[in-house]
Amino acid sequence: MPELPEVEAARRAVEEHCSGKRIKKAVVADDPKVIDGVSSSEFEAALLGKQIVGVHRKGKNMWLLLDSPPFPSFQFGMTGAVYIKGVAVTKYKRSAVKETDEWPSKYSKVFIELDDGLELSFTDKRRFARVRLLTDPTSVPPISELGPDALLEPMTVDELAEALSKKKIAIKKLLLDQAGIHPLETASKLPKEKCATLHKCIQEVIEWAVQVDAESSLFPLNWLFHYRWGKKPGKANGRRIDFITAGGRTTAYVPALQKLSGGAGALRADDKQRRQTSKRKKGSDEVDGSASEEEEAKESVKVKKQQNPRASGRKSSAKKKPDVSNDGSDDPENDESDEDEERKKVSKTVKKKEASERTSKKKSEATGTTKKHTKRAK
């Protein structure tokens, strides 16, 4: 999902290209799941004629400061993204809209045309983003409930150590890091020197990512980011990458660099997590081929039905209601990654297919046996 650097890159792009200009046209999607607490018509009316005087961000929330309230606020969620026509803006890969796609995108939630003709759009493929119209975005949730911004209000080493000392959960669940700390390390047990290392790495990673506008190809080659989801088992700078589950997420780490303290009990827990994750990944790899065939078959049937509506036994409708789902999921957002969700869906589909094949095979065998008995009787 988009992280702080991606949202900061979007903020900077909007500030550079849109500040000082007036909103000539606004089109807000009729999608109450994303457009929170206000109708699309009210939202549009609140934007028309207003001048953009600034663009602000805290955490993964961005809002436009207009010449008078209320102000549009964007919580990016899992696939929120900002597009400015003709301007390159870094986007999270899963939310990317191709240049060849229609403009504005069918996934657009807020489209704005400025007085000089420049156009921008906030899109959200999976509809986990939230767009609000607020008088003071910083005084109400979710922004009012956020801690210090890691870029704008960095904590000191002592403040970080104090905060971690109160958290008796795995550090990965609390904080995803690049600091050579084992993902299952208990946050409250981190010694001061490791807190200092974590603090230093947080600042370095965020500052570097923001400096290159979150363009991942420009991240340092020694970052685990480049190797963790490649060929498995993989290596990072010659060292083995292992996979475990931490905080409900598949987690890559380098055992040679990220060692778990806490004695034999902690090491056994680490080994158990690694074996369980390995089994799950092996199962996912085994079903990939069958899943692809199943998806292709479904797509083929779908295309045939679209080409010949009567084949489905239903009359085609002349009018079609607008689809606000935008290919998104209505399931509530949870802690699992997109990859884990996709694997579950694939596994479920393949199991159904295998069960159907077994049933067909049994029916076929039963039919063959019946025919043999009939011939003998004759």
Side-chain angles (χ1 to χ4, degrees):
M1 66 181 70
E3 301 294 350
L4 185 154
E6 284 88 353
V7 181
E8 175 63 14
R11 186 202 69 78
R12 292 183 179 188
V14 176
E15 182 178 61
E16 178 182 352
H17 296 279
C18 304
S19 289
K21 301 175 183 179
R22 289 195 177 275
I23 298 174
K24 176 182 176 183
K25 179 182 179 181
V27 179
V28 179
D30 183 14
D31 185 355
K33 182 179 179 184
V34 176
I35 309 302
D36 188 13
V38 61
S39 70
S40 56
S41 58
E42 290 174 316
F43 207 125
E44 291 167 355
L47 298 182
L48 284 176
K50 297 289 184 67
Q51 184 180 33
I52 299 175
V53 297
V55 188
H56 297 281
R57 178 199 58 78
K58 184 164 186 179
K60 295 191 287 184
N61 296 269
M62 183 187 84
W63 65 98
L64 305 183
L65 184 65
L66 306 179
D67 52 7
S68 63
F71 310 125
S73 172
F74 306 88
Q75 186 177 1
F76 280 56
M78 294 181 74
T79 55
V82 169
Y83 290 84
I84 302 176
K85 193 172 185 180
V87 176
V89 182
T90 300
K91 299 163 286 290
Y92 177 61
K93 63 180 180 180
R94 290 186 178 276
S95 64
V97 175
K98 299 177 183 177
E99 291 183 2
T100 55
D101 290 349
E102 62 183 328
W103 176 266
S105 164
K106 64 180 179 179
Y107 303 111
S108 178
K109 301 304 173 184
V110 177
F111 168 80
I112 293 174
E113 181 182 347
L114 302 174
D115 54 7
D116 67 344
L118 190 68
E119 298 175 348
L120 68 147
S121 171
F122 179 81
T123 68
D124 181 25
K125 271 189 174 184
R126 297 196 61 195
R127 303 172 65 227
F128 286 131
R130 295 294 179 268
V131 181
R132 303 176 177 93
L133 199 58
L134 304 171
T135 302
D136 181 8
T138 61
S139 67
V140 294
I143 298 175
S144 65
E145 297 176 344
L146 296 176
D149 186 87
L151 178 66
L152 305 176
E153 311 159 292
M155 302 171 73
T156 65
V157 174
D158 289 338
E159 289 171 338
L160 178 61
E162 174 66 19
L164 294 180
S165 68
K166 300 173 182 177
K167 304 293 182 180
K168 296 183 179 180
I169 58 175
I171 189 68
K172 167 65 186 267
K173 194 171 183 180
L174 179 67
L175 180 72
L176 311 184
D177 71 275
Q178 179 92 16
I181 297 173
H182 194 286
L184 297 179
E185 192 75 67
T186 303
S188 62
K189 294 181 180 179
L190 280 182
K192 185 68 175 288
E193 58 269 23
K194 281 196 174 183
C195 287
T197 301
L198 178 59
H199 181 269
K200 177 173 176 286
C201 288
I202 289 173
Q203 290 184 310
E204 288 179 351
V205 169
I206 290 177
E207 287 173 2
W208 186 287
V210 168
Q211 182 181 342
V212 298
D213 286 335
E215 178 50 63
S216 59
S217 63
L218 299 179
F219 291 170
L221 292 178
N222 64 340
W223 283 14
L224 181 60
F225 170 89
H226 294 288
Y227 312 98
R228 58 183 177 177
W229 304 131
K231 185 178 179 181
K232 300 178 179 62
K235 287 190 175 182
N237 299 323
R239 297 181 174 92
R240 187 183 84 254
I241 299 175
D242 271 350
F243 297 86
I244 58 175
T245 299
R249 295 171 181 261
T250 300
T251 302
Y253 78 110
V254 180
L257 299 177
Q258 296 167 271
K259 299 182 183 297
L260 180 62
S261 61
L267 294 175
R268 283 196 298 272
D270 176 28
D271 185 58
K272 181 180 178 182
Q273 288 277 19
R274 188 164 56 249
R275 290 199 307 272
Q276 290 175 341
T277 303
S278 177
K279 287 180 181 179
R280 281 197 294 272
K281 284 192 171 294
K282 183 179 179 182
S284 296
D285 293 340
E286 288 173 351
V287 303
D288 280 348
S290 301
S292 299
E293 294 174 5
E294 182 74 12
E295 290 302 317
E296 288 177 8
K298 285 185 178 180
E299 187 62 27
S300 176
V301 172
K302 183 178 178 181
V303 170
K304 288 179 181 177
K305 286 185 177 180
Q306 289 174 343
Q307 292 173 343
N308 184 11
R310 294 182 181 179
S312 63
R314 296 181 181 179
K315 294 182 179 179
S316 59
S317 175
K319 292 185 179 180
K320 198 173 183 181
K321 289 185 178 181
D323 179 14
V324 299
S325 69
N326 289 347
D327 297 340
S329 168
D330 285 326
D331 294 333
E333 185 171 3
N334 53 45
D335 289 336
E336 292 185 348
S337 65
D338 290 347
E339 288 83 357
D340 289 338
E341 291 177 7
E342 288 166 4
R343 289 191 193 105
K344 286 181 179 180
K345 290 178 182 177
V346 167
S347 179
K348 189 175 181 180
T349 300
V350 172
K351 284 179 180 178
K352 285 184 178 179
K353 182 183 177 183
E354 289 174 346
S356 177
E357 288 175 349
R358 285 196 298 269
T359 302
S360 298
K361 187 176 180 181
K362 287 180 180 179
K363 287 182 178 178
S364 178
E365 290 174 351
T367 302
T369 302
T370 302
K371 287 181 178 179
K372 286 180 182 180
H373 287 312
T374 302
K375 286 180 180 180
R376 287 176 185 173
K378 288 181 179 179

